Each structure stands twice: as structure tokens, then as C-alpha cells.
Amino acid sequence: MAKRIQFASHGGPEVLEYADYTPTEPGPGEVRIRNRAIGLNFIEIYVRTGLYPAPSLPSSLGTEGAGEVETVGSGVTHLKPGDRVAYATGPLGSYSELHVLPAEKVVKLPDSITFEQAASVMLKGLTTQYLLRQTHALKAGETVLFHAAAGGVGSLACQWANAIGAKLIGTVGSAEKAERAKALGAWEVIDYTRENVAERVHALTDGKKCPVVYDSVGKDTWETSLDCVAQRGLMVSFGNSSGAVSGVNIGILAQKGSLYVTRPTLNSYADTADRLQAMADDLFGMIASGKLKVEEAKQYPLKDAAKAQQALAGRHTTGSTILIP
């Protein structure tokens, strides 16, 4: 028997239950991991409320964690019991002491990265990696726009872009967040509550605008973002915190300068075990070198997952939050 957080119906934090359950044995191509730290992300609140329905109920939550391999199923050759590992895109179930998931979703963790660091940075860090290294291979000297620059992914993007030598213009919603983004390496910041983002980007780039704009906000910033993309540039829409972009006339891309647009996801980039491990190695290397600093995460016991979600939903947290079994 082991402990996990589960819910039998959709609703508020009160539906979460800290319960006993019987972990399954790993099947072919699977591993069972004893979690030492578990990532907490806003998407899990959407799953709990039913906005993103779970495959079946009762269900556990979470897709991100770090720990040690306990058991491997048949056909698994790149992992063995005792290996330190981490994961970010596994099936639901990381809010647990033990989690079974496909071995191809698991990466080896170097000794230089703690379980707590891995659980707090895997999802956000891998997202930053594919955005800046693959969706658009950011180069030194390039000026780009990144919305929500003080957020989870944005705070890593500020550091990563600075390490590359690129000029990241970050949008933020307060003076405090502006100060944070600048401290993390943003070249310039725009407080969208006080400034016109497109006008400021035009001024900062001498009218050239940006070869790429990274937008996790969605509906509220879609047209503003397009106005900041240089001719034949790329609009990267990778999130929808303000709502999904819909009803778009593709002709607007022609009107704005023959623009490109993409809606990437982590799963599409980390689609094989080798690619996932290579992305993770790049991320871990940035952390080990000191170019990417991972802030100490706020910790809650696993049994207090409901309290942790309440704090996250109420915007009472800064940086990452993790659960400890």
C-alpha cells in the first residue's frame, strides 16, 4: 500500500483526498518511481475542477516529479532500480508516493541536481528549452518579446536569453514584477498596465520589431503580439492563461507582414526518449553552470496538496511550489 492524493468528483480543493491505494506493477516499457519531490502546476487545478477532464474517476493528479526508480518492467534497458530520475510529461498520478509511467517519459538526473530542484524546474525548464533552442533558435544580439516575463517560464527565459546574449523584452503587470524580470536578465521590461506594449517595442527596436514573440497569455495579447513581430517573423503562441485564441482570420498574418505562427507543445518536442533526455541534459547543464538559477521552491507535505493548490490559485505563491511525500 502507498499514499496518494485522489479525487472522485470534480470541484474545489475539498474534493482532494489523501488516501491509501495499491500501486500497480510496471508493465512492459514502464517503470515505478518512488517520488521524493512532486511538481505543482496550475493545470492540475483545471483537472480537479473538470476544465480539463481526467480520463476516469477516481483519479490522482500531477505529471511532474523526481525520485528513484524502484522497479522496471520488461524491455526497459536505459533505467535500473536505484537510478535518480525526473519526469514532466508522464500520465496523471505524480501526486503519490509511488508512480508508474512509461520509461520513455523519464530522464536520468545528474548528482548536481537535487530532487527538489528537478521537481520544481522540469516542466517549466523543458518548455523554456524548446522555445529558445528549438522553436526559434535564439541567437546573440537578437531582440525578442516574451510575455509574462516574471512568471514560471518567463523567469527562466529571462536568464536563458541573457546567457545566450539575446535581448529579451519582457512584459509584466506590476513594478515589482518588472524589477524581478530585470534582476533575472531581461534587457528591458514593459508594464502593460501603464504602457502600450506595441508602441514600446517599436521604440526599443527602432521600428524593426522582433523576429519572434513568445506569448503564453493567449486571447488578450494575440493582436498586440502580432503587432510586435517583424516582417516574416514568428509568433509563438504557447499558452492561453487569458483564454484560447479563436476565430482568427488567417489573412491577418498577411496584413501584419507575411508572418509565421506556431502553437507548440512540450510533448511534440520531447516525443522520443532520446530527444527528451537531450533536452533535459541541456537544461541540467545550464543549471550546473550557474547560468540558470533555480530558486528554492515553497514546500508542502503531500497530504496538504489542497492547501498548496489554494495558495497557488489565490496567487499567494512566488516561484515554484513542490509537494514532499
Side-chain angles (χ1 to χ4, degrees):
M1 297 292 288
K3 290 286 191 180
R4 73 173 184 176
I5 295 292
Q6 64 183 33
F7 63 104
S9 61
H10 297 295
E14 70 280 356
V15 303
L16 298 183
E17 178 189 11
Y18 186 56
D20 291 317
Y21 81 110
T22 303
T24 61
E25 291 296 321
E30 293 182 331
V31 295
R32 189 166 71 195
I33 294 171
R34 179 165 292 280
N35 285 324
R36 300 301 183 187
I38 299 156
L40 183 81
N41 296 286
F42 212 95
I43 191 172
E44 286 126 40
I45 295 175
Y46 294 153
V47 175
R48 187 201 73 214
T49 61
L51 182 63
Y52 295 166
S56 63
L57 296 177
S59 173
S60 186
L61 282 171
T63 61
E64 181 180 31
E68 297 145 341
V69 174
E70 186 179 78
T71 314
V72 303
S74 61
V76 177
T77 57
H78 69 291
L79 297 171
K80 65 183 186 302
D83 281 348
R84 301 175 73 254
V85 294
Y87 56 93
T89 61
L92 289 178
S94 68
Y95 281 31
S96 59
E97 293 177 333
L98 296 170
H99 186 31
V100 175
L101 68 163
E104 64 183 10
K105 301 285 189 182
V106 178
V107 300
K108 289 185 177 179
L109 195 60
D111 291 339
S112 59
I113 308 297
T114 67
F115 294 131
E116 292 80 9
Q117 285 177 317
S120 68
V121 81
M122 276 290 288
L123 186 60
K124 302 175 186 72
L126 291 175
T127 298
T128 306
Q129 196 281 341
Y130 84 70
L131 289 173
L132 302 190
R133 296 286 206 197
Q134 300 183 69
T135 305
H136 175 86
L138 196 57
K139 302 178 184 65
E142 283 188 314
T143 302
V144 302
L145 180 67
F146 207 104
H147 288 291
V153 175
S155 62
L156 296 176
C158 287
Q159 298 178 66
W160 207 314
N162 186 55
I164 291 171
K167 298 177 178 179
L168 184 147
I169 303 170
T171 70
V172 296
S174 69
E176 181 184 11
K177 290 182 177 180
E179 185 177 333
R180 172 177 165 79
K182 284 285 284 185
L184 290 169
W187 175 61
E188 289 288 351
V189 291
I190 302 171
D191 184 342
Y192 61 80
T193 67
R194 300 187 299 105
E195 303 171 279
N196 182 293
V197 173
E199 288 179 2
R200 281 278 285 140
V201 167
H202 283 231
L204 289 168
T205 61
D206 295 325
K208 296 176 183 178
K209 301 188 280 187
C210 300
V212 60
V213 171
Y214 297 99
D215 190 336
S216 63
V217 179
K219 178 172 63 70
D220 288 354
T221 52
W222 168 252
E223 292 221 20
T224 294
S225 291
L226 294 181
D227 286 336
C228 297
V229 182
Q231 187 166 291
R232 298 192 305 278
L234 176 64
M235 165 66 173
V236 182
S237 178
F238 70 99
N240 49 272
S241 62
S242 70
V245 176
S246 61
V248 174
N249 178 354
I250 197 171
I252 196 172
L253 301 177
Q255 297 166 17
K256 300 290 186 181
S258 299
L259 307 183
Y260 295 85
V261 63
T262 183
R263 181 61 173 87
T265 66
L266 175 56
N267 279 324
S268 296
Y269 282 86
D271 59 340
T272 69
D274 287 344
R275 274 194 278 268
L276 173 59
Q277 186 67 59
M279 291 168 64
D281 288 344
D282 190 15
L283 170 63
F284 298 150
M286 290 290 288
I287 296 171
S289 70
K291 294 176 181 177
L292 206 63
K293 291 182 171 55
V294 180
E295 297 175 309
E296 186 174 345
K298 171 71 174 176
Q299 298 185 13
Y300 286 84
L302 176 60
K303 64 182 179 63
D304 290 337
K307 291 181 182 177
Q309 286 196 352
Q310 284 179 300
L312 183 63
R315 302 188 182 280
H316 301 310
T317 64
T318 57
S320 297
T321 301
I322 58 176
L323 305 173
I324 304 298

